[in-house]
Amino acid sequence: MKAILTPQNSTSITYSYQAVGDVLHATVNGVEDSFDFTGMPDGSASDFETVLEPNPLIQATKADGELTVTLLGWYGNTPVQGEDETDEAFQERLAEYELAKTEREVTI
């Protein structure tokens, strides 16, 4: 499943996404929910009901049988280099942070 992650700033939200076939499993702040797109015809859907707060699923689109979901992708505060952290390790964390602040397509 393809996912487009739309960046959102938050220091208090933890999340993860996993896909099994056309079923998206989402966890937000330790609460899990699933979205089953099995059998969805080509087209788009939005406004999903979920127990997750906030709802991370913005849109689902199926084209030629391929599913793409648009999801919130949270990122926190700008990283600060730790006293014992190497410059290389810090630069790697900083690059991951900067990437999280951009809309990007990933496979889940």
Side-chain angles (χ1 to χ4, degrees):
M1 178 182 306
K2 288 184 185 177
I4 298 170
L5 296 179
T6 300
Q8 293 289 301
N9 182 266
S10 176
T11 58
S12 63
I13 294 179
T14 59
Y15 73 98
S16 66
Y17 302 120
Q18 180 183 9
V20 178
D22 280 349
V23 179
L24 171 68
H25 301 278
T27 303
V28 177
N29 289 335
V31 178
E32 299 179 33
D33 203 354
S34 296
F35 303 89
D36 190 348
F37 300 104
T38 306
M40 177 181 170
D42 282 359
S44 293
S46 59
D47 197 27
F48 303 95
E49 290 188 23
T50 181
V51 297
L52 301 175
E53 187 61 41
N55 181 355
L57 181 58
I58 299 168
Q59 183 175 20
T61 303
K62 194 174 260 189
D64 297 324
E66 186 173 350
L67 181 63
T68 302
V69 292
T70 303
L71 301 163
L72 295 177
W74 289 278
Y75 64 94
N77 292 330
T78 305
V80 176
Q81 186 169 1
E83 287 183 27
D84 296 332
E85 186 175 25
T86 65
D87 288 343
E88 183 178 329
F90 174 67
Q91 289 303 319
E92 187 175 305
R93 280 194 316 117
L94 187 59
E96 289 173 6
Y97 169 80
E98 292 298 331
L99 181 62
K101 292 177 17 180
T102 63
E103 185 169 280
R104 63 203 182 282
E105 185 177 295
V106 297
T107 301
I108 55 173

